Amino acid sequence: MLGHADSRLFSDRCRRLTSEQVDVIQGPRWHIDLQPWAGPAQSLDEEAWRFLRYISTTQIACDHMSTESLATDSSPARKPWSVCLDDRFSLAHQIRNKQCRLYSLGLGSDDTHFEVSMANNGCEVHRFDPSVKLAHVQESQRLWYHRLSVDWRDPHPAVVAQNPHSNTRKLGSILNEFGHHKIDVLKADLESAEWKVLENLILEDVLEQIGQLIFEIHLHWPGFEVSGSDSSVVRFWYSLLKEIELKDFRLFHSYKDLSKPQLFLKKDIFNASSCYTLSWVNTRWK
């Protein structure tokens, strides 16, 4: 028989073991949680309608968006990279105090107007692009270019051993290498790699280190390493965006690019564009 003190000690130990066991059971996530199907038919029309309505409906109002980033019909080449400068979300404060940090992920785009503008306004800007000629280039006082491609996986150890200067990294790995714990703004134009990169940011909890997201999403095909029927692909896209919402990010700006083909998974459906630019703010960002 256990005495009262022994019983209490045993109970406390069990509670500690249970907590540790829960941590082990949870462990790292390997897959996102898929949302229920949009309708009983599990059809592309049902999934596409839900998805397109979701990305076209802002979830929070932003009264002060950066005017430099808003595209107009007269400048179709300039993309609408919109950040929210409302005081409640701290980005404006960070810029004023020269403590803002922006990461820009791209693939050879010549349009760096947004990055230059943010650097001129007081942000420390890091542009990651595998087409850059040198490993690291400081373009101006607050603007750096890095010959790195942000991926959803790190190189295999054997590859790293042969080529320690591999140009591919996960964003979490780059943050660790640079000693950066927070990014006030993450801008990405990854030409259909955005879905797997977003998935990696969710699975590895990197989103918690980001204040605002600006992603160009591409809908003309499933994207790199995204497979399945058309309806299951759209369900996966939608589930990714719902995971972002669960992390307390809210969509404050949505831009439908009418200069791109009006195709959705190679189909003409619901007048969708093949390209949208979406901006979210982390409502818990300090």
Side-chain angles (χ1 to χ4, degrees), residues 59-62 84 86-90 184 207-208 210-213 244-252 279-286:
Q59 299 166 324
I60 197 168
C62 177
C84 185
D86 288 2
D87 284 338
R88 57 185 168 144
F89 297 133
S90 82
D184 293 284
L207 281 180
E208 296 179 0
I210 301 169
Q212 297 191 27
L213 292 170
I244 294 174
E245 183 182 341
L246 288 172
K247 296 288 187 180
D248 292 312
F249 282 80
R250 297 293 180 266
L251 186 69
F252 68 85
S279 300
W280 292 267
V281 62
N282 182 346
T283 57
R284 290 191 292 118
W285 190 250
K286 302 295 184 185

Side-chain angles (χ1 to χ4, degrees), residues 43-86:
S43 69
L44 175 60
D45 278 1
E46 290 172 333
E47 296 301 321
W49 175 248
R50 176 176 68 172
F51 175 80
L52 290 168
R53 183 175 55 191
Y54 188 81
I55 65 172
S56 301
T57 307
T58 55
Q59 299 166 324
I60 197 168
C62 177
D63 297 324
H64 302 95
M65 282 190 285
S66 55
T67 54
E68 288 288 338
S69 64
L70 295 176
T72 64
D73 292 338
S74 61
S75 58
R78 186 165 298 168
K79 297 179 181 179
W81 305 112
S82 302
V83 293
C84 185
L85 297 175
D86 288 2

Side-chain angles (χ1 to χ4, degrees), residues 193-219:
E194 65 273 4
W195 299 112
K196 296 301 288 185
V197 169
L198 266 176
E199 182 185 43
N200 175 257
L201 299 184
I202 293 165
L203 295 178
E204 297 196 351
D205 289 328
V206 179
L207 281 180
E208 296 179 0
Q209 297 171 259
I210 301 169
Q212 297 191 27
L213 292 170
I214 320 171
F215 266 68
E216 184 170 278
I217 61 170
H218 302 87
L219 311 179

Side-chain angles (χ1 to χ4, degrees), residues 115-126:
E115 288 83 353
V116 171
S117 173
M118 292 294 283
N120 289 340
N121 282 314
C123 254
E124 172 192 326
V125 178
H126 296 270

Side-chain angles (χ1 to χ4, degrees), residues 51-52 195 217-221 237 263-265 273-274 276:
F51 175 80
L52 290 168
W195 299 112
I217 61 170
H218 302 87
L219 311 179
H220 58 291
W221 70 295
W237 290 347
L263 292 175
F264 187 95
L265 293 177
S273 173
S274 60
Y276 292 75

Side-chain angles (χ1 to χ4, degrees), residues 76 79 216 255-262 273-276:
K79 297 179 181 179
E216 184 170 278
Y255 172 78
K256 177 182 178 181
D257 192 341
L258 297 177
S259 71
K260 298 293 177 67
Q262 305 301 290
S273 173
S274 60
C275 181
Y276 292 75

